[in-house]
């Protein structure tokens, strides 16, 4: 990538001030890096090309991000597994996990 300098150290892309930032994922179609602030109930999306970061408020503690084979974003919360629909800024339930015990989270 031309706009990023080569170094032997890590560079900070975005100062999110997350309470608990986890689960980074590269989304090739969107050319962005996604991660969660688990306790802040926020999904972050940093786009390398524009060097901008979007924040999506989530309705509950969400602790896991993955991509499906067709690059749909999958999120896990105590309520279940969800697709995240960027255009609607919403999580849509795929399946219930049968109820997790209090203070448990998906990883």
């Amino acid at each position: 990538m031309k706009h990023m300098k080569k170094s032997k150290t890590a560079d900070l892309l975005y100062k999110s001030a997350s309470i608990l930032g986890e689960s980074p994922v590269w989304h090739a179609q969107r050319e962005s890096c996604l991660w969660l602030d688990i306790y802040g109930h926020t999904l972050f999306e940093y786009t390398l090309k524009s060097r901008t970061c979007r924040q999506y408020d989530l309705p509950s503690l969400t602790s896991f991000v993955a991509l499906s084979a067709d690059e749909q974003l999958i999120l896990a919360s105590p309520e279940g597994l969800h697709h995240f629909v960027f255009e609607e800024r919403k999580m849509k339930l795929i399946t219930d996990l049968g109820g997790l015990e209090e203070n448990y989270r998906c990883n």
Side-chain angles (χ1 to χ4, degrees), residues 18-38:
S18 295
I19 299 167
L20 179 59
E22 282 194 22
S23 204
V25 172
W26 174 251
H27 195 298
Q29 286 179 346
R30 295 179 66 87
E31 297 183 0
S32 63
C33 180
L34 299 133
W35 71 95
L36 293 168
D37 179 358
I38 293 173

Side-chain angles (χ1 to χ4, degrees), residues 75-87:
L75 303 178
S77 75
E79 294 79 31
L81 296 177
H82 312 262
H83 281 126
F84 185 78
V85 182
F86 286 97
E87 297 77 19

Side-chain angles (χ1 to χ4, degrees), residues 1-106:
M1 298 181 169
K2 289 185 178 183
H3 65 275
M4 293 187 71
K5 67 179 182 177
K6 291 182 180 181
S7 71
K8 293 182 182 182
T9 61
D11 293 327
L12 181 65
L13 288 178
Y14 179 76
K15 189 173 182 176
S16 68
S18 295
I19 299 167
L20 179 59
E22 282 194 22
S23 204
V25 172
W26 174 251
H27 195 298
Q29 286 179 346
R30 295 179 66 87
E31 297 183 0
S32 63
C33 180
L34 299 133
W35 71 95
L36 293 168
D37 179 358
I38 293 173
Y39 294 131
H41 300 190
T42 306
L43 172 68
F44 290 90
E45 179 182 27
Y46 184 87
T47 305
L48 285 177
K49 192 172 186 177
S50 66
R51 293 185 172 184
T52 57
C53 190
R54 289 189 182 134
Q55 296 181 28
Y56 303 94
D57 293 329
L58 302 174
S60 62
L61 185 141
T62 304
S63 57
F64 178 79
V65 177
L67 291 175
S68 65
D70 60 353
E71 298 226 9
Q72 290 189 55
L73 195 66
I74 308 296
L75 303 178
S77 75
E79 294 79 31
L81 296 177
H82 312 262
H83 281 126
F84 185 78
V85 182
F86 286 97
E87 297 77 19
E88 297 176 24
R89 302 175 71 95
K90 289 185 180 178
M91 294 167 54
K92 297 211 173 177
L93 187 65
I94 299 168
T95 188
D96 185 301
L97 294 177
L100 294 176
E101 292 186 36
E102 190 176 336
N103 298 321
Y104 278 63
R105 58 186 173 101
C106 300

